[in-house]
Amino acid sequence: YGFFLYRKGSIQEALQALEYATYIATQWSTPYYDMSEILWEEERYDDIISCLQRLLSYDTIEDPYPYSMLGKCYHQKGEIEKSCEYFLRAIHYDPLNAEGWYNLSLAHFTSGYKRQALEYIYQGLECDSNDVECLRLAWEIEESLHMWDEADTHLSTLIEHPESNDDDYMDYAYFLYERGEYTKALEILKNLRQINENCYEAFYHMSSIYFGIGDYEKGS
């Protein structure tokens, strides 16, 4: 009922209904999780922390969800060490969950611990080599560590992924352009234009590359 109210746009009423449910059945996790999802959309991270900490105070939950959500909230608040603590607990309860490793890797990467982040994202890819978010983070970390071949491999895999988007193609094209592989960069952008003819940003980047290599006729 709470999510029904939320979909109608009655956010406060939805939260009140779910809050009421938590007091009727204090150890039933579903209303806490539903409240957390709504509060996440509203960027109310402190309220999520309060909500899930109350659930965890009743019993040990062996579901990775509350720990993962708490980790994400603390990450949003800039409390990276605490976020990693919860991400590790989430992985403890589900070590084969690629998302858990992704979250842990991202927290370390944004804190400047690139090598540790790389180890964690590789763990995520071992769990699911096709996880699109892990692939995106992997090449970013590899590029930052000057691991060009590895980053190229993951970018190449990424643009073939069914969940790839325009940004993935443009990221790959720019990566190639930065390495002087102008012809290959142009091919990536041409492929993007065939997939999405309304992606005018790709056309702009193609023009920039043509001007960069001195082909002013094609660039204009």
Side-chain angles (χ1 to χ4, degrees):
Y1 182 61
F3 251 111
F4 171 75
L5 290 170
Y6 179 66
R7 292 192 187 98
K8 288 181 62 180
S10 305
I11 298 171
Q12 196 55 43
E13 290 85 348
L15 290 171
Q16 287 174 350
L18 291 166
E19 181 80 14
Y20 181 68
T22 67
Y23 287 111
I24 294 174
T26 56
Q27 297 184 42
W28 183 32
S29 61
T30 300
Y32 294 93
Y33 293 179
D34 288 346
M35 284 176 65
S36 297
E37 291 297 323
I38 294 171
L39 291 167
W40 179 264
E41 291 298 319
E42 301 300 310
E43 300 182 0
R44 292 168 58 178
Y45 308 121
D46 286 324
D47 289 336
I48 297 172
I49 291 169
S50 177
C51 170
L52 292 178
Q53 290 287 17
R54 180 153 57 91
L55 171 63
L56 294 174
S57 71
Y58 297 126
D59 196 7
T60 299
I61 306 294
E62 297 189 358
D63 176 1
Y65 176 87
Y67 308 108
S68 180
M69 179 61 86
L70 283 166
K72 290 194 292 184
C73 288
Y74 281 114
H75 187 261
Q76 289 294 327
K77 285 163 57 67
E79 298 182 43
I80 304 303
E81 187 173 340
K82 201 149 192 172
S83 75
C84 290
E85 175 189 331
Y86 281 104
F87 289 144
L88 282 168
R89 292 178 73 180
I91 290 169
H92 171 74
Y93 290 115
D94 188 2
L96 297 180
N97 186 344
E99 183 185 359
W101 292 107
Y102 166 85
N103 287 330
L104 191 59
S105 176
L106 181 62
H108 280 76
F109 185 48
T110 55
S111 301
Y113 299 103
K114 297 178 182 179
R115 287 290 175 184
Q116 190 64 61
L118 188 67
E119 289 183 26
Y120 289 139
I121 204 62
Y122 283 172
Q123 289 279 1
L125 287 169
E126 279 189 27
C127 296
D128 183 359
S129 61
N130 207 38
D131 187 284
V132 70
E133 295 301 333
C134 284
L135 287 168
R136 287 180 179 132
L137 185 54
W139 82 258
E140 287 190 56
I141 298 171
E142 289 160 345
E143 183 187 40
S144 74
L145 292 169
H146 298 176
M147 299 169 62
W148 313 129
D149 291 342
E150 292 84 350
D152 191 301
T153 297
H154 283 125
L155 279 163
S156 178
T157 302
L158 190 54
I159 63 168
E160 299 297 328
H161 196 284
E163 295 178 38
S164 66
N165 57 35
D166 294 353
D167 287 338
D168 296 322
Y169 279 84
M170 286 187 285
D171 284 340
Y172 194 15
Y174 186 73
F175 174 86
L176 294 167
Y177 176 78
E178 287 277 281
R179 289 178 175 94
E181 298 186 50
Y182 305 123
T183 302
K184 193 172 178 181
L186 283 169
E187 286 303 313
I188 297 296
L189 292 170
K190 287 177 183 177
N191 289 340
L192 174 56
R193 287 281 292 168
Q194 289 180 343
I195 295 168
N196 180 9
E197 61 182 15
N198 294 319
C199 184
Y200 301 110
E201 191 174 351
F203 188 75
Y204 167 78
H205 288 305
M206 287 172 64
S207 298
S208 298
I209 295 174
Y210 280 126
F211 274 110
I213 62 178
D215 193 337
Y216 304 115
E217 182 178 348
K218 289 184 178 178
S220 57

